[in-house]
Amino acid sequence: MKKLVAVILTLVLALSLVACAAPVAEEAPAEEAAEGEVEDVVEEVPAEGAVKIGVILVHDENSGYDVAHIEGMEGAKAAHGLSDDQVIYKYNIPEDETCYDTAVDLVEQGCTLIISDSYGHQSFMMQAAREYPEVQFIAATGDTAAFEGLDNVGNMFPYTFQSRYVSGIVAGMKLKELMDAGTVTDPYVGYVGAYPYAEVVSGYTGFFLGIKSIVPDVHMDVQYTNSWYDPTAEAEAANALVGKGCVIIGQHADSTGAPSAIQAQLDSGKVCYSVGYNIDMLSVAPTAALTSAQNNWAALYTAVVGQFLETGKVPVDFAIGAADDAVMISALGESCAAGTQEAVDAAWAGLKDGSVNVFDTANFTVGGETVTTAFALDTDGDWVNDTAEAIVDGIFQESVHRSAPYFALRIDGITELN
């Protein structure tokens, strides 16, 4: 691979004496790439002196999460007038040493900004950043940039807890409708989570609080899959939650496994509905899907790429939300309750003007008590937050001390099953 790149660059230099260099084959993901399979195809070579950006993806276009990042980078390209040959996508890069090798390869291909999209990429990105101080690195969804002692690294994350909250309002409206009709007597919902990380905890808590704002006595179980992307495990978790009596299932997982399973359950006569993540799930759950919590990654990519183009640097921590249109929900499904759109519109308006705060401590308790103090950051790597006061004026300040979520309180009404 590296020898091939060298040969191509040599040919381009020679041709430039008489004409503009023609681009070589563009890198693209395989039609049915297996998880963990690493794509390694030469990208187009940009004009001499042009900025070149690398994007490392944990999966490919078959994963809604990665599609959201691809769309984010494409939005930044359009906003800043970048050409196709100025961006290299690397697909199906696992969260191991392969990420470091891929980052090095992108440096050798001339990239001066490299972005990865998965939390597990972070340590390998930081390893590469130490070796290539002239290159800027962003670990999207990461959380260590501020503590690395490097001036060429950054993290970015949207206020996903806000879109979770609004998707919870959609779920709450449906739950209330079912209870008002007598179809459901127990306000019992479920959630398929990837890992018990703060990112997932923050999201499922926001979802729960959105429901709770409509149905105050709601209770929720969370089933973990211990994988970001496992359609089978996600489907099994959803089925298990429906089997326990949950009537609406949210998710923080990257496949369509859970919504597909819930659609099958609904078709069989069960009363159950889905709230997805990353992408619109109506194609796989046309009557079960209510909506999906989504991130507008284009807002973040456009901003950080713009700063890089202007200053040559990236922000250490970058986070934006509803006020900057960085979060959203997908189209409402046909099964949504009457009045849902109006409730959604009111929630977005409140989030944007500051009158609605997802983690207002007046709206939840921990161990039966109102929370008055909580730390935001873990400075010694033991997974316990030990510094930076998170609660100000009764509001837990999520994604303020760093971009990645750090809300890790286990509030009353939610049970983690494993």
Side-chain angles (χ1 to χ4, degrees), residues 253-278:
D254 292 345
S255 86
T256 59
S260 297
I262 296 164
Q263 182 66 53
Q265 292 269 13
L266 182 64
D267 291 343
S268 74
K270 290 280 190 180
V271 176
C272 54
Y273 297 91
S274 168
V275 173
Y277 184 41
N278 290 315

Side-chain angles (χ1 to χ4, degrees), residues 361 369-374 389-394:
T361 59
E369 301 291 335
T370 299
V371 181
T372 58
T373 185
E389 178 57 57
I391 297 176
V392 178
D393 296 329

Side-chain angles (χ1 to χ4, degrees), residues 33 89 102 135 200 209 237 243 406:
Y89 291 103
T102 302
V135 176
V200 178
L209 291 173
Y406 42 79

Side-chain angles (χ1 to χ4, degrees), residues 54-131:
V55 181
I56 298 174
L57 304 161
V58 70
H59 297 112
D60 55 29
E61 80 286 356
N62 294 304
S63 159
Y65 176 76
D66 296 275
V67 167
H69 280 267
I70 294 168
E71 291 176 347
M73 186 67 244
E74 290 300 303
K77 276 172 54 180
H80 296 297
L82 301 175
S83 61
D84 290 345
D85 61 2
Q86 288 181 265
V87 177
I88 301 175
Y89 291 103
K90 291 287 190 176
Y91 302 90
N92 297 305
I93 306 303
E95 297 169 307
D96 59 23
E97 194 71 22
T98 310
C99 177
Y100 164 78
D101 294 336
T102 302
V104 171
D105 179 58
L106 289 168
V107 172
E108 292 180 351
Q109 290 192 55
C111 293
T112 51
L113 171 61
I114 300 173
I115 304 171
S116 66
D117 77 341
S118 190
Y119 182 84
H121 288 148
Q122 179 171 232
S123 61
F124 305 101
M125 290 284 282
M126 298 306 161
Q127 180 184 353
R130 287 186 177 84
E131 296 182 16

Side-chain angles (χ1 to χ4, degrees), residues 179-393:
M179 295 187 70
D180 288 347
T183 306
V184 170
T185 57
D186 183 7
Y188 185 21
V189 301
Y191 199 91
V192 177
Y195 294 98
Y197 297 166
E199 176 185 341
V200 178
V201 175
S202 174
Y204 76 55
T205 306
F207 175 69
F208 177 80
L209 291 173
I211 302 175
K212 188 176 173 65
S213 71
I214 307 297
V215 182
D217 55 346
V218 63
H219 60 109
M220 184 172 81
D221 282 356
V222 178
Q223 182 76 52
Y224 290 110
T225 62
N226 296 306
S227 171
W228 292 117
Y229 182 88
D230 188 333
T232 300
E234 292 161 34
E236 290 173 349
N239 285 331
L241 289 165
V242 172
K244 287 171 64 67
C246 298
V247 294
I248 298 176
I249 312 295
Q251 72 175 82
H252 189 146
D254 292 345
S255 86
T256 59
S260 297
I262 296 164
Q263 182 66 53
Q265 292 269 13
L266 182 64
D267 291 343
S268 74
K270 290 280 190 180
V271 176
C272 54
Y273 297 91
S274 168
V275 173
Y277 184 41
N278 290 315
I279 60 173
D280 188 329
M281 296 295 182
L282 289 173
S283 63
V284 297
T287 55
L290 301 177
T291 191
S292 291
Q294 293 182 296
N295 299 312
N296 178 19
W297 281 101
L300 286 93
Y301 275 82
T302 298
V304 298
V305 169
Q307 180 168 327
F308 170 75
L309 293 174
E310 181 177 349
T311 68
K313 296 289 185 181
V314 295
V316 175
D317 274 293
F318 184 74
I320 50 177
D324 295 288
D325 296 321
V327 291
M328 55 193 179
I329 63 171
S330 64
L332 299 180
E334 65 179 63
S335 296
C336 284
T340 297
Q341 186 62 62
E342 291 78 5
V344 165
D345 291 344
W348 283 128
L351 289 167
K352 290 182 177 183
D353 68 21
S355 61
V356 173
N357 291 282
V358 174
F359 297 127
D360 187 331
T361 59
N363 298 327
F364 64 87
T365 57
V366 175
E369 301 291 335
T370 299
V371 181
T372 58
T373 185
F375 287 130
L377 303 180
D378 170 20
T379 60
D380 56 12
D382 65 354
W383 299 97
V384 177
N385 293 341
D386 54 27
T387 190
E389 178 57 57
I391 297 176
V392 178
D393 296 329

